[in-house]
Amino acid sequence: MLPPVSDGRLQNKSLRAWLARSDLTQAPGPEELLARVLNVVRLPYPEQGLAALRMWGQTGDRPTHWIAAADPVYLEPQLDRLYLHELRRCRIPVDQMRSLINHLQATLADGGTCGFVRLGSYSYLSSDKPIATAAVPAYVVDQQVPTHFLPTGDETASYRNLVSEIEMALHEHEVNEQRVAAGEQPVNSLWLWGGGTAAEKMTRRQPPLFSDDALLTGYWYSATADASPWPGDIESCLQASVAGFVAETPEFDDDPALLESCLLELRAALRSGRLSRLILLFRDGVRADVRRSHELRFWRRKSGLLATTTPA
């Protein structure tokens, strides 16, 4: 999993030509990270409990209670509908999120049946009984109408009631007043998703993982598989792996220099035979399936998915 590659982000002409010879596709819309990765490595996607897996990845310990992710969002009213803006990429200061979550815990937690907690850069909702939640994280819904992603069925009333209480509690909170005064989007709601309990720990063969993503890491922990932080370069992943690996560059690092350096290392590993195949997922939805034999596709030199916005 690499930084975005489209819209001229990759300026290296040689690398663009190399990728253009591969099998390139573009996803029709945003996709959840874990789902994209598991689809490639052909591992089962969890039926529930994604938030618990994310917490597992953060702490290293399997959560034993029902939990949902509670991600900060801004719901923007426009005419007759709301648009959702996910706010984690905005890097909300820790003290602001601590104040908001503490306020929700003080005003909405009801005698221990449910509660709010902040853990690192993430927030969670715990409950003594299951609550219907959305299935995908807020970044999948970003700048879209969230209605289509909300849970459906008989259990949705409890979800809507809880979200309404959250929004009322956050309304006119001093943190949001400060954010609006500074020209920033307020945190006027939380996106509750991935509710459930963590699966029992098991043992399953998986390629080693190099990633700082808590959900990916938690999934690997749940299978007693090797998981390490992103080491900073592809060469380190190669040296620590025998027969392939899964690597993910840091979530918010869209530096074109990082993209280029990773691609240069991966191309060299493929050409030298250290790797037999590459499946490259880019954060803008582009996917490249690359084999050594693709070098013979000399007639492919350009791709619209990699087109530059400035002369190369």
Side-chain angles (χ1 to χ4, degrees):
M1 177 64 68
L2 297 168
V5 71
S6 58
D7 297 329
R9 292 182 177 91
L10 182 60
Q11 291 294 306
N12 185 305
K13 187 176 180 180
S14 175
L15 286 174
R16 286 202 313 274
W18 173 65
L19 286 180
R21 297 186 185 105
S22 67
D23 293 330
L24 283 170
T25 56
Q26 171 72 60
E31 296 177 302
E32 192 268 310
L33 171 65
L34 180 63
R36 293 186 71 188
V37 171
L38 296 187
N39 179 60
V40 167
V41 294
R42 298 183 180 181
L43 290 172
Y45 192 74
E47 295 182 1
Q48 53 89 39
L50 293 181
L53 282 177
R54 191 175 78 176
M55 180 178 282
W56 195 341
Q58 284 189 273
T59 65
D61 297 318
R62 176 184 176 272
T64 57
H65 53 286
W66 187 96
I67 194 166
D71 295 346
V73 296
Y74 168 55
L75 297 179
E76 178 188 14
Q78 290 189 8
L79 297 177
D80 60 343
R81 62 187 64 187
L82 292 172
Y83 286 86
L84 182 143
H85 301 267
E86 72 97 10
L87 296 178
R88 283 196 63 250
R89 180 169 281 272
C90 298
R91 305 292 185 92
I92 300 174
V94 171
D95 61 328
Q96 290 189 358
M97 280 307 302
R98 180 188 299 115
S99 179
L100 292 172
I101 295 302
N102 288 347
H103 176 66
L104 292 175
Q105 176 66 13
T107 56
L108 298 184
D110 50 358
T113 59
C114 77
F116 296 86
V117 63
R118 186 187 61 83
L119 183 61
S121 61
Y122 295 112
S123 302
Y124 297 94
L125 166 72
S126 63
S127 175
D128 63 354
K129 60 181 180 180
I131 301 172
T133 63
V136 296
Y139 65 78
V140 176
V141 194
D142 188 41
Q143 301 186 53
Q144 300 182 68
V145 178
T147 307
H148 309 301
F149 300 88
L150 296 177
T152 59
D154 297 336
E155 304 298 323
T156 58
S158 59
Y159 173 88
R160 295 181 183 276
N161 290 338
L162 177 57
V163 170
S164 294
E165 292 179 359
I166 291 172
E167 291 171 358
M168 290 177 62
L170 294 177
H171 183 63
E172 294 184 352
H173 188 280
E174 61 180 0
V175 165
N176 284 327
E177 292 179 346
Q178 295 168 5
R179 291 183 61 83
V180 171
E184 300 171 328
Q185 295 172 326
V187 182
N188 62 4
S189 188
L190 295 179
W191 183 252
L192 306 179
W193 70 279
T197 56
E200 294 293 334
K201 194 171 186 178
M202 59 172 293
T203 300
R204 179 174 55 219
R205 289 193 63 181
Q206 296 179 190
L209 171 73
F210 302 93
S211 170
D212 298 328
D213 183 84
L215 179 52
L216 283 177
T217 302
Y219 183 91
W220 255 251
Y221 284 169
S222 72
T224 323
D226 292 337
S228 305
W230 164 246
D233 57 69
I234 297 297
E235 179 60 31
S236 298
C237 302
L238 288 163
Q239 291 181 4
S241 307
V242 176
F245 58 89
V246 174
E248 184 234 5
T249 61
E251 179 181 10
F252 299 123
D253 192 345
D254 292 346
D255 185 359
L258 173 63
L259 172 65
E260 181 172 322
S261 64
C262 287
L263 289 176
L264 286 170
E265 289 182 285
L266 288 165
R267 184 177 65 176
L270 188 66
R271 286 176 170 175
S272 67
R274 298 175 73 185
L275 294 174
S276 61
R277 180 189 181 193
L278 296 174
I279 301 180
L280 309 178
L281 305 178
F282 300 91
R283 293 195 183 276
D284 48 10
V286 175
R287 168 174 168 160
D289 290 70
V290 194
R291 296 181 182 273
R292 294 179 67 186
S293 60
H294 290 170
E295 295 272 16
L296 301 176
R297 296 173 170 177
F298 56 87
W299 61 91
R300 289 191 184 184
R301 298 182 179 179
K302 297 180 180 180
S303 168
L305 296 178
L306 308 174
T308 57
T309 55
T310 57

